[in-house]
Structure formats: C-alpha cells, structure tokens
Amino acid sequence: MSEVAKNPLGPAGHNVRRTVRRLREDRRWSYVELSERLAKEGRSIPVLGLSRLERGERRVDVDDLMALAAVFGLSPEQLMEPPAECQNCHGAPPPGFICMKCETTGLPARGA
C-alpha cells in the first residue's frame, strides 16, 4: 500500500527541487559539498536531507530557501521559477500535463 503525502509539494516546491538538482549537477557539487556550503551560510542541511529534497521527499522551508539561493547566487524567486530552458516545454506544459523531460507540471487555468 502506498502512502499518500498529507501535504504534497506544489508547483513551486517541485521547481525548487528540480532547480537545486540541476544547479548542483551543473556545478559538479556532491551532496557533501552543497551541505558544507549551506553550513557556511548558517543553514545546515545534511546529505540525506539534500537527497530527499531533490527527490521531493523533503519540503523546503523559508530558511532553507534563503540559504540555497545564497549558495547558488540567485534570488529565492529564481529557485521557484519553472525551468524555462527546457527545449521541450519551455517550462510551461499545457494544463494538466507533465513535461517528460523537465518534470514541470502544467498549471490549471485560473478559475478552473
């Protein structure tokens, strides 16, 4: 029997996890390196926590978001944006669909 999350990640949470994974891999940082950089920013997230974060099994709180943004040299808003560089969907798949390349979920139309 599969467990359903009581408070599943929303679109912004999924964007953060995908962006963190992409940026970490692009910079060729291990989980240990990212964890050490976060600790220097005053926000410790252990290796297991980072792995769970990237898999969508750990939520990012505001303090995590601020530290991650500082480590990557971005604003918190930039970590939450959809991956516009995806050549498949440009970060905006149709409502109700999920891009098979970047995993972005199409948001339902407003008022729907």
Side-chain angles (χ1 to χ4, degrees), residues 35-108:
S35 181
E36 289 170 352
R37 290 170 187 267
L38 287 164
K40 288 178 184 174
E41 286 293 323
R43 185 66 176 177
S44 294
I45 300 177
V47 170
L48 179 59
L50 291 171
S51 173
R52 291 182 67 223
L53 184 154
E54 288 185 7
R55 290 192 313 264
E57 298 170 1
R58 179 189 187 279
R59 297 181 70 81
V60 174
D61 68 20
V62 175
D63 295 317
D64 296 339
L65 185 67
M66 298 302 289
L68 287 163
V71 164
F72 289 117
L74 300 172
S75 70
E77 293 83 9
Q78 288 173 304
L79 286 178
M80 294 185 286
E81 290 175 357
E85 71 279 352
C86 178
Q87 298 303 308
N88 193 43
C89 71
H90 303 284
F97 288 85
I98 298 173
C99 176
M100 296 304 287
K101 185 172 182 181
C102 71
E103 301 176 13
T104 296
T105 302
L107 300 175

Side-chain angles (χ1 to χ4, degrees), residues 20-47:
V20 167
R21 181 182 62 211
R22 180 180 51 80
L23 291 170
R24 184 184 60 77
E25 290 174 350
D26 286 352
R27 292 166 189 198
R28 293 185 169 91
W29 292 350
S30 66
Y31 288 121
V32 171
E33 288 175 282
L34 179 53
S35 181
E36 289 170 352
R37 290 170 187 267
L38 287 164
K40 288 178 184 174
E41 286 293 323
R43 185 66 176 177
S44 294
I45 300 177
V47 170

